[in-house]
Amino acid sequence: MSFKLLVLTTGLVAGLSLTALPAGAEDKTMDMSMPMGDDGPSSRAFSEANNKMHKGMMIEYSGNADVDFVRGMIAHHQGAIDMAKVELQYGKDADMRKLAEGVIKAQEAEITEMQAWLKANAK
């Protein structure tokens, strides 16, 4: 295949891809404040926990990978705890409830460890 044909084909495919989208679709953002799909109580609770976690992970980076990792992971682990609490509130499966209890215990311990590390190492 010649270079000109390759460029023309690539341009045509790219053009078709854009025309296949609804007008303005490439400019739209997803509303992450609302659950996708079901909007029942557990879905809303999971969505709230997820939004809180993502907001907490939006840290101002320091340039210190260790500090930034720990600061982001604290919010991530808290998100896991919050989601596990949703499972305990709404879930019915005994195995999943037991798993949620284990997640809470493990993540709380790791958050405590990371907070202690930050106190000793973040400057």
Side-chain angles (χ1 to χ4, degrees), residues 14-37:
L16 288 174
S17 297
L18 290 176
T19 59
L21 293 172
E26 64 277 0
D27 297 328
K28 294 189 189 259
T29 58
M30 184 178 288
D31 181 2
M32 297 304 288
S33 66
M34 300 298 293
M36 296 183 298

Side-chain angles (χ1 to χ4, degrees), residues 1-47:
M1 178 180 290
S2 74
F3 179 72
K4 286 182 185 180
L5 184 56
L6 180 61
V7 170
L8 181 60
T9 304
T10 303
L12 181 60
V13 170
L16 288 174
S17 297
L18 290 176
T19 59
L21 293 172
E26 64 277 0
D27 297 328
K28 294 189 189 259
T29 58
M30 184 178 288
D31 181 2
M32 297 304 288
S33 66
M34 300 298 293
M36 296 183 298
D38 180 72
D39 68 347
S42 66
S43 297
R44 285 193 308 272
F46 279 124
S47 182

Side-chain angles (χ1 to χ4, degrees), residues 52-116:
K52 178 182 169 190
M53 176 185 67
H54 283 271
K55 184 177 180 182
M57 290 174 63
M58 297 297 295
I59 63 170
E60 184 175 329
Y61 295 109
S62 68
N64 181 325
D66 299 322
V67 169
D68 294 344
F69 169 72
V70 171
R71 288 176 57 226
M73 288 306 293
I74 288 172
H76 188 265
H77 280 37
Q78 184 60 53
I81 292 167
D82 294 344
M83 290 180 202
K85 288 179 178 179
V86 173
E87 168 60 24
L88 293 177
Q89 182 176 359
Y90 296 101
K92 295 181 180 14
D93 185 276
D95 290 334
M96 288 301 100
R97 293 177 58 79
K98 184 176 179 181
L99 178 66
E101 289 170 351
V103 165
I104 292 169
K105 184 177 179 181
Q107 300 300 301
E108 285 177 340
E110 289 184 10
I111 288 173
T112 298
E113 180 181 350
M114 288 184 282
Q115 288 171 331

